[in-house]
Every structure is written in structure tokens, then in C-alpha cells.
Amino acid sequence: MPEISVLVIAYNVERYISRCLDSILGQSCHDIEIVVVDDGSSDGTGTILKDYAGRDQRVRVVSHPENKGTLQARKTAINASKGKYIMFVDGDDTLKPYACERLLDEARRQDADFVVAGYELVFPDGSVSPETNKLTYGSSSRDLIRSMVFYECTRYLCGRIFERRLFTEHPYEENRRIVYGEDQLLSYHTALYVRKAVSISDIVYDYYQHPSSLTNVERYKITRSLEDRVLVHSLTLSILSGQDRDVLDKAEFDMISFYFRLIKKNRCGRRFLMRLVRKNSLAGLLSIANLRRHLGLRKALVYWAVFHIWPVAWVLYGRSWND
């Protein structure tokens, strides 16, 4: 049984998948398996994957006949893997040569079931921006969630390892084919069951920023992606319901601010957004009472007007108010 299963989700990444797999096969830790899920690619990704599987027995490919979305693809990869620890890599990103070794060594040394490291944002012009993940609040599940909510630890799944039981003993529901925000949803779900979390300062992951990637395109202009955001917010509040009040307050405030910016910048229809919010049981989030609790009376009235009587708010406050 391999120590680490590196799980790669590949969808139409023929330009990048060789670079990704080469970085994994070149790891200083050799006791790994690589499970790649081809999530219904329509380009040459599948052909490249078959070539790698034929050349190295550590590579196994599982193919979806049609695109099922990242949540389902991750579950397929988890079910097909055998390692004690699980690590996710996106098909257009790469690992540093020592990534698996450093994460695994730290997990063993501290008897941790979750280890997170730093990463680099790699931009099209070749420039890089190193980023760190910290866990200053502590190592428990609640501490990890607090670090995520207060932005000292990202809600990505990449650049970290998880003990396998976090997924096998606590399986997640696919819910639906979520395109945007599935990392956040799955990160919070898994964090609920972490026994001991630790962080290291090493940079282990290269996170490539492509002009067409989900994180760089304003996807919430697209109806489907806005639906995903609202659904993920609803499910996130459900996951966080048992956390400390200040943690839940911070999550609610961030969601309120997100919806406010959307309407303020006219990037979605007010009625459409409010319909989604009501559909996903988030109406109370934008009630005058809840807005007042988070923002104070004066600002709450402004936000409430923007959410509920947008044309009036536009006339009264114009386009120059500050968040």
C-alpha cells in the first residue's frame, strides 16, 4: 500500500497535464501512487494519460464517459486510491520535487491527519508570488476552521495532505454538479473531522494563474456560477452552524459583502439573486435585523435598500457609497 495517493482531476488540460504528471513522478518520495480522473475531456487529455499509464505503473487512469464535475471526480479518485494519505493536484498545476516528502515527514513527526504548506501563484508572465498558510489559533478541528474563516489558511484542497479516513469515514455528498466553490465546501466539510492539523512554511505547490481559469474569470457573471456560489454559501453556513459565534458572524459578513458587491457593480440581476437566496434558505441573512447586527443601523438600511428596493437605493445613494 502506497503512503500517499496523489489525486489529479483532469478536464481538457492537454496543454498542461504532462507538466503536472512529470512534477509528480519526479517526487523525492517514491512511495506514491497517482490516480488521474479524466472527467470527460474532449481534447487530447485522455491520449496523454494513457501514454503515462503505459510508461509508469504508479499512474492509474479512471475515465468518466462524460463530464461530471469536480466533486464527483474527486470522489471517484478517492474511491480508486489506496494510500494512507491523500493529496490533490489540479491538472494544470505542479508540485515542487520535495512536496510529498515534506508533507509526509511532518504528518509522521507530529502524528497529524492534516498538514498544510505554502504555495506559489505563478502568473502568465513568469512572475511568482509566494503565499503561506498559517494555523496560529491551534491544531484542533475548530482551530482549523477558525483559521480558514479568518483567511490565514486558504480553503483550497491543494498544497496539503489528508489522512485517508477523513474521506472514507466521513464521505461527502456530491449535492449537484458544482462548478465554482467546491474547494471551499469540501475543505470545511473535511475540517470538521480533523484530529490534529499542522502547517509548515515550505512552498510545495505551484498554482498557475491562467486567464481562462475559474479563479481569474468573473464567473459570477454567468448564471450557473452564481447559482453555485449561493448554494455553497448555504451549505457552508450549515457546516459552520456549530462553531463559535464570532466564526459564524465572520462567515455571514463575508457572504453579505459578496452579494452587496455583486449588485453594487451591477454584475447580476437583483431579482435573480434574491430568488436564489430565498431558494437556498438564506433570506434571513439579508433581513434588516441580521444586517443591523452585522453592520449597525445606518449601514444596514443602505444594504437592505440595495438588496430589496434597488432602484430607490440607486437614486438615494448613487454609485459612490463605500462598503
Side-chain angles (χ1 to χ4, degrees), residues 1 35 48 56 62 84 101 108 123 131 139 245 309:
M1 178 184 295
V35 179
I48 297 172
D56 196 309
V62 182
K84 180 180 179 181
E101 181 178 8
R108 289 168 170 168
F123 297 97
E131 305 288 340
S139 62
R245 185 68 251 181
I309 49 174

Side-chain angles (χ1 to χ4, degrees), residues 169-199:
E169 295 180 8
H170 309 283
Y172 63 89
E173 296 181 4
E174 291 87 346
N175 295 295
R176 50 160 276 181
R177 187 174 171 274
I178 295 176
V179 175
Y180 192 97
E182 55 85 22
D183 261 28
Q184 172 179 313
L185 188 60
L186 192 49
S187 291
Y188 278 132
H189 171 82
T190 306
L192 285 175
Y193 308 105
V194 165
R195 174 179 50 81
K196 182 178 181 181
V198 298
S199 63

Side-chain angles (χ1 to χ4, degrees), residues 41-320:
S41 296
S42 57
D43 62 359
T45 298
T47 301
I48 297 172
L49 293 179
K50 289 179 182 178
D51 178 60
Y52 272 85
R55 286 191 278 133
D56 196 309
Q57 62 180 5
R58 291 178 295 171
V59 180
R60 289 191 291 121
V61 179
V62 182
S63 298
H64 286 168
E66 59 184 23
N67 183 261
K68 295 185 177 182
T70 311
L71 275 179
Q72 179 59 64
R74 291 198 195 282
K75 178 164 283 191
T76 298
I78 292 167
N79 291 338
S81 65
K82 301 175 182 177
K84 180 180 179 181
Y85 294 94
I86 285 174
M87 184 178 191
F88 294 102
V89 179
D90 289 341
D92 54 353
D93 294 334
T94 59
L95 293 179
K96 300 296 188 184
Y98 49 81
C100 291
E101 181 178 8
R102 282 294 296 119
L103 290 167
L104 181 59
D105 285 349
E106 199 66 21
R108 289 168 170 168
R109 189 177 73 84
Q110 299 209 40
D111 187 28
D113 54 355
F114 174 91
V115 182
V116 62
Y119 61 98
E120 279 184 340
L121 297 175
V122 183
F123 297 97
D125 63 1
S127 62
V128 298
S129 174
E131 305 288 340
T132 59
N133 282 295
K134 300 177 182 179
L135 299 174
T136 61
Y137 295 106
S139 62
S140 71
S141 168
R142 298 179 77 87
D143 296 331
L144 173 58
I145 290 175
R146 178 177 290 273
S147 291
M148 290 179 177
V149 169
F150 286 96
Y151 295 105
E152 72 167 22
C153 180
T154 62
R155 301 151 196 178
Y156 304 140
L157 292 174
C158 300
R160 58 202 69 190
I161 61 171
F162 307 81
E163 198 170 283
R164 182 182 183 79
R165 68 164 189 86
L166 294 173
F167 296 96
T168 57
E169 295 180 8
H170 309 283
Y172 63 89
E173 296 181 4
E174 291 87 346
N175 295 295
R176 50 160 276 181
R177 187 174 171 274
I178 295 176
V179 175
Y180 192 97
E182 55 85 22
D183 261 28
Q184 172 179 313
L185 188 60
L186 192 49
S187 291
Y188 278 132
H189 171 82
T190 306
L192 285 175
Y193 308 105
V194 165
R195 174 179 50 81
K196 182 178 181 181
V198 298
S199 63
I200 58 177
S201 59
D202 304 58
I203 301 294
V204 304
Y205 194 92
D206 293 320
Y207 187 20
Y208 285 82
Q209 305 297 289
H210 307 298
S212 60
S213 67
L214 286 177
T215 51
N216 289 290
V217 178
E218 295 175 304
R219 294 297 299 273
Y220 45 78
K221 288 182 179 179
I222 304 173
T223 297
R224 177 60 181 275
S225 295
L226 180 57
E227 291 176 339
D228 286 351
R229 273 284 198 173
V230 176
L231 176 60
V232 166
H233 286 172
S234 176
L235 295 171
T236 296
L237 287 184
S238 177
I239 291 172
L240 298 179
S241 60
Q243 301 301 308
D244 295 336
R245 185 68 251 181
D246 64 325
V247 171
L248 189 55
D249 281 347
K250 173 60 174 172
E252 288 187 353
F253 178 80
D254 288 345
M255 293 175 194
I256 291 169
S257 299
F258 171 76
Y259 296 140
F260 181 79
R261 290 194 301 271
L262 278 180
I263 293 180
K264 175 184 171 182
K265 296 177 181 179
N266 200 28
R267 287 179 176 161
C268 70
R270 177 182 61 87
R271 291 180 181 177
F272 176 67
L273 174 60
M274 295 305 296
R275 187 163 61 248
L276 289 175
V277 167
R278 287 192 295 270
K279 176 183 176 183
N280 287 278
S281 304
L282 288 172
L285 184 71
L286 304 182
S287 68
I288 187 65
N290 199 53
L291 291 173
R292 181 177 183 179
R293 187 169 66 84
H294 286 292
L295 306 168
L297 179 58
R298 182 176 177 277
K299 205 167 186 179
L301 290 173
V302 174
Y303 275 52
W304 186 88
V306 170
F307 290 131
H308 296 276
I309 49 174
W310 169 251
V312 175
W314 190 265
V315 172
L316 291 177
Y317 299 102
R319 304 188 182 194
S320 60

